[in-house]
C-alpha cells in the first residue's frame, strides 16, 4: 500500500445509505496521514449531517456552489487546486450520470471538472440501478475520462436485495486511494537525492551553514519512491523525519555529502541534487573552542568539491538534475549552470527573504537543453510530484534517444 502522508484528499459524499460510512472513511484517511476536506451534495446531508463530517475532518464542510461566503473563503477553484486527489464515496447513480455528462451545476461536479488531480468514485446503489444500461453506459463514459471506479462490491443490500452495488468497505477504499499516487513512472530505477544544508565546522561548537530546511529534497525523495523508484536520500543536518520507503544516509559536511553521493550515484539512473551545499569550508577546523581573546581573527576558506559536476562527469553518468536558488535573472543563471556543470536539467526557483528556503510553498522553472517548463507555486509535496513526473518523462526521452542512436 502507498502512503497518504502529506496528501490532500477531497472526499465527495453523495446521497445514498452508504453515506453513513463516509465518516469512517475520513477517519481512516486521516489516520493514514492525509488532510481531508469534505464536499456534500444536498441529498447526502439527509443521510449524515455536515456537523459529523466537520467533526471527523476537522474542517467545515463545503456544500454550495453559488454561496458568496464559501466562495470568498475556499471556493470551487481553490478546492479543485488544493486537492491531490478526489474520492467520491458513496457515488450515487445520479452523481455518476452528472459526472458522465460533465455537469457543473453543483459544487462537487464543478470541482470534478475543474481539478487536475486524479478522481476516483466508489459507486453505491441498488443492484437493479447498478445493472441498468443507463448506469453502465454512464460508468463507461466516466471511465473513458480517466476517472477510476472503485468497486462496487456484491452482497446483501440495505434495500433487502442481493447483488452488485454495495460500496466497498472504508479500509479498502483508503488502500485504493493511496494507490492512486503510486504512478510506477520510475519503476525499476534507482534515484539518489541530496537534501538539506551542510555544516562546515569552524570549531567543535561553531560552523558555517545556511537556511535550507530540507523540505523540498525530502519531498522529492518521497515522490520518487511513490513513483516506484528505489531511493537513496543523502541528507545534511535537518529536523525532518526520514521518509518511508527511502534509505536515508545522514551526513554533516559537504565533503561527506560528496563522498556518499558519488558512491551511490555510480550505480543510479537518476541523481537529483536538491541540497544547499556550502561552496566553501574553513581551511582548518580548530580542535578546541576558539576563545574570545583577539580583537580580529581571519577565517580562511577553501572551495568544496561540486557534487553535481562530479556526478555528471561519472562514466556512465546518471540523468543529473540540479537545483538553483536565484534572486534575479533566473532563466539565464539556470542555463549558465546547466552548461557549466554539464547536467541534464536545472530546477530553478526565486529566493528572497520570504521565499523559498523555509516556506512550505515553492515554484520552479525547469531549464533543459532546448526547453523550459514552468511549475507554478504550490505546496512542496505537490511540486515534488510534478517535478518527478517531468524528470521521468525527460529521462525516458533521453534513454529512448540513446537507444535510437545505438541502433541507427
Ligand atoms: O553552483 P550552485 O551552488 O549555485 O548550484 C546549485 C546546485 O548545485 C544544487 O543542485 C546543489 O545541490 C548543487 N551543488 C553541488 N555541490 C556544491 C554546490 C552546489 O552539488 N558544492
Amino acid at each position: 500500500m502507498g502512503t497518504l502522508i502529506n496528501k490532500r484528499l477531497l472526499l465527495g459524499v453523495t446521497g445514498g445509505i452508504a453515506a453513513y460510512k463516509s465518516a469512517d472513511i475520513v477517519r481512516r484517511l486521516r489516520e493514514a496521514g492525509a488532510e481531508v476536506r469534505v464536499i456534500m451534495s444536498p441529498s447526502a446531508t439527509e443521510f449524515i449531517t455536515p456537523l459529523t463530517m466537520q467533526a471527523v475532518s476537522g474542517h467545515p464542510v463545503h456544500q454550495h456552489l453559488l454561496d458568496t461566503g464559501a466562495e470568498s473563503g475556499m471556493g470551487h477553484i481553490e478546492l479543485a487546486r488544493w486537492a491531490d486527489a478526489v474520492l467520491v464515496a458513496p457515488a450515487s447513480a445520479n452523481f455518476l450520470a452528472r459526472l458522465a455528462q460533465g455537469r457543473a451545476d453543483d459544487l462537487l461536479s464543478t470541482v470534478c471538472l475543474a481539478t487536475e488531480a486524479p478522481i476516483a468514485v466508489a459507486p453505491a446503489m441498488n443492484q437493479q440501478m447498478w445493472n441498468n444500461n443507463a448506469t453502465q453506459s454512464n460508468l463507461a463514459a466516466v471511465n473513458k475520462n480517466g476517472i477510476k471506479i472503485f468497486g462496487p462490491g456484491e452482497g446483501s443490500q440495505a434495500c433487502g436485495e442481493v447483488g452488485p452495488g454495495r460500496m466497498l468497505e472504508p479500509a479498502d477504499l483508503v488502500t485504493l486511494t493511496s494507490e492512486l499516487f503510486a504512478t510506477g513512472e520510475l519503476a525499476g530505477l534507482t534515484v539518489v537525492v541530496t537534501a538539506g544544508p551542510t555544516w562546515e565546522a569552524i570549531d567543535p561548537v561553531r560552523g558555517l551553514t545556511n537556511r535550507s530546511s530540507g523540505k523540498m529534497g525530502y519531498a522529492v525523495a518521497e515522490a520518487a519512491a511513490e513513483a516506484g523508484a528505489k531511493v537513496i536520500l543523502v541528507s545534511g543536518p535537518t529536523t525532518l523525519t526520514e521518509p518511508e520507503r527511502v534509505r536515508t544516509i545522514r551526513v554533516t559536511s559537504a565533503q561527506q555529502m560528496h563522498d556518499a553521493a558519488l558512491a551511490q550515484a555510480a550505480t543510479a539512473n537518476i541523481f537529483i541534487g536538491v541540497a544547499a551545499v556550502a561552496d566553501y569550508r574553513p581551511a582548518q577546523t580548530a580542535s578546541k573552542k576558539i576563545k574570545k581573546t583577539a580583537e580580529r581573527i581571519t577565517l580562511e576558506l577553501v572551495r568544496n568539491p561540486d557534487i553535481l559536476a562530479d556526478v555528471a562527469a561519472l562514466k556512465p553518468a546518471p540523468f543529473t538534475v540540479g537545483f538553483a536558488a536565484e534572486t534575479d535573472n533566473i532563466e539565464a543563471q539556470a542555463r549558465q549552470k546547466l552548461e557549466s556543470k554539464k547536467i541534464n536539467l536545472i530546477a530553478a526557483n526565486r529566493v528572497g527573504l520570504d521565499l523559498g528556503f523555509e516556506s512550505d510553498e515553492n515554484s520552479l522553472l525547469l531549464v533543459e537543453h532546448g526547453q523550459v517548463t514552468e511549475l507554478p507555486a504550490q505546496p512542496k509535496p505537490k511540486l515534488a510530484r510534478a517535478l518527478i513526473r517531468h524528470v521521468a518523462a525527460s529521462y525516458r526521452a533521453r534513454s529512448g534517444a540513446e537507444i535510437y542512436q545505438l541502433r541507427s
Side-chain angles (χ1 to χ4, degrees):
M1 169 173 155
T3 163
L4 286 170
I5 293 168
N6 288 330
K7 303 295 186 309
R8 294 168 161 193
L9 254 293
L10 195 56
L11 178 71
V13 185
T14 67
I17 182 60
Y20 82 91
K21 294 185 179 173
S22 299
D24 193 27
I25 299 176
V26 173
R27 197 180 57 79
R28 287 171 186 269
L29 288 171
R30 292 188 70 189
E31 273 173 12
E35 189 185 341
V36 185
R37 286 181 179 266
V38 179
I39 297 181
M40 295 179 80
S41 73
S43 53
T45 63
E46 303 286 339
F47 291 93
I48 185 165
T49 70
L51 192 61
T52 302
M53 299 307 284
Q54 171 173 324
V56 289
S57 68
H59 294 286
V61 167
H62 304 266
Q63 296 182 65
H64 308 291
L65 177 60
L66 302 174
D67 175 323
T68 38
E71 287 290 304
S72 66
M74 205 184 228
H76 62 285
I77 297 297
E78 277 92 347
L79 276 171
R81 282 197 193 127
W82 174 88
D84 290 324
V86 180
L87 169 67
V88 183
S92 64
N94 177 49
F95 176 73
L96 290 176
R98 299 161 57 72
L99 199 58
Q101 286 177 16
R103 296 279 283 268
D105 54 1
D106 74 0
L107 183 59
L108 184 56
S109 55
T110 307
V111 167
C112 287
L113 271 188
T115 192
E116 282 184 354
I119 302 174
V121 294
M125 66 199 72
N126 161 274
Q127 53 96 17
Q128 289 288 354
M129 292 169 77
W130 171 255
N131 284 323
N132 192 297
N133 281 344
T135 303
Q136 289 303 314
S137 60
N138 286 335
L139 219 77
V142 162
N143 203 11
K144 193 163 154 255
N145 285 341
I147 293 171
K148 294 261 185 318
I149 319 284
F150 291 167
E154 285 206 35
S156 61
Q157 302 201 301
C159 52
E161 296 178 15
V162 177
R166 279 171 62 104
M167 187 174 80
L168 291 186
E169 291 306 320
D172 297 331
L173 289 175
V174 172
T175 304
L176 290 168
T177 304
S178 70
E179 286 168 2
L180 286 177
F181 296 97
T183 61
E185 282 160 330
L186 295 177
L189 301 180
T190 300
V191 177
V192 177
V193 181
T194 65
T198 59
W199 172 267
E200 310 299 319
I202 296 171
D203 69 14
V205 292
R206 305 184 184 93
L208 298 175
T209 189
N210 59 63
R211 289 171 54 201
S212 168
S213 63
K215 281 182 196 160
M216 191 64 207
Y218 277 55
V220 168
E222 190 138 21
E226 210 163 73
K230 175 183 162 201
V231 182
I232 297 131
L233 173 66
V234 182
S235 171
T238 70
T239 54
L240 304 175
T241 332
E242 295 178 4
E244 279 180 31
R245 297 171 297 170
V246 168
R247 182 177 155 220
T248 305
I249 302 175
R250 293 224 173 244
V251 295
T252 306
S253 67
Q255 187 64 52
Q256 287 170 355
M257 185 175 275
H258 176 271
D259 297 349
L262 263 99
Q264 298 301 327
T267 50
N269 304 94
I270 298 174
F271 180 87
I272 311 179
V274 194
V277 187
D279 292 327
Y280 293 91
R281 66 176 181 275
Q284 270 117 31
T285 302
S287 59
K288 294 200 177 106
K289 187 179 169 192
I290 299 170
K291 294 286 176 220
K292 191 172 53 181
T293 44
E295 206 45 54
R296 180 185 291 244
I297 58 171
T298 304
L299 192 61
E300 191 191 350
L301 300 177
V302 292
R303 270 284 280 274
N304 273 326
D306 192 305
I307 303 172
L308 267 180
D310 287 356
V311 167
L314 288 171
K315 297 221 174 344
F319 184 88
T320 311
V321 179
F323 267 64
E326 304 292 349
T327 51
D328 55 85
N329 223 349
I330 299 181
E331 189 179 334
Q333 307 257 21
R335 197 159 287 291
Q336 192 269 327
K337 226 163 258 187
L338 187 77
E339 309 293 344
S340 66
K341 295 184 191 242
K342 298 191 170 57
I343 62 177
N344 302 94
L345 189 155
I346 278 272
N349 67 308
R350 188 189 301 281
V351 287
L353 284 179
D354 303 317
L355 266 175
F357 276 139
E358 284 144 1
S359 74
D360 291 329
E361 285 222 347
N362 210 349
S363 66
L364 289 175
L365 196 68
L366 308 183
V367 180
E368 288 164 275
H369 304 282
Q371 68 167 337
V372 177
T373 313
E374 189 165 359
L375 302 180
Q378 52 199 306
K380 285 179 178 175
K382 205 168 180 173
L383 187 66
R385 286 195 285 277
L387 172 72
I388 286 297
R389 213 172 302 131
H390 189 98
V391 167
S394 292
Y395 171 81
R396 278 196 301 272
R398 189 192 75 148
S399 306
E402 277 174 1
I403 292 166
Y404 181 75
Q405 271 178 5
L406 283 176
R407 285 199 188 128
S408 57

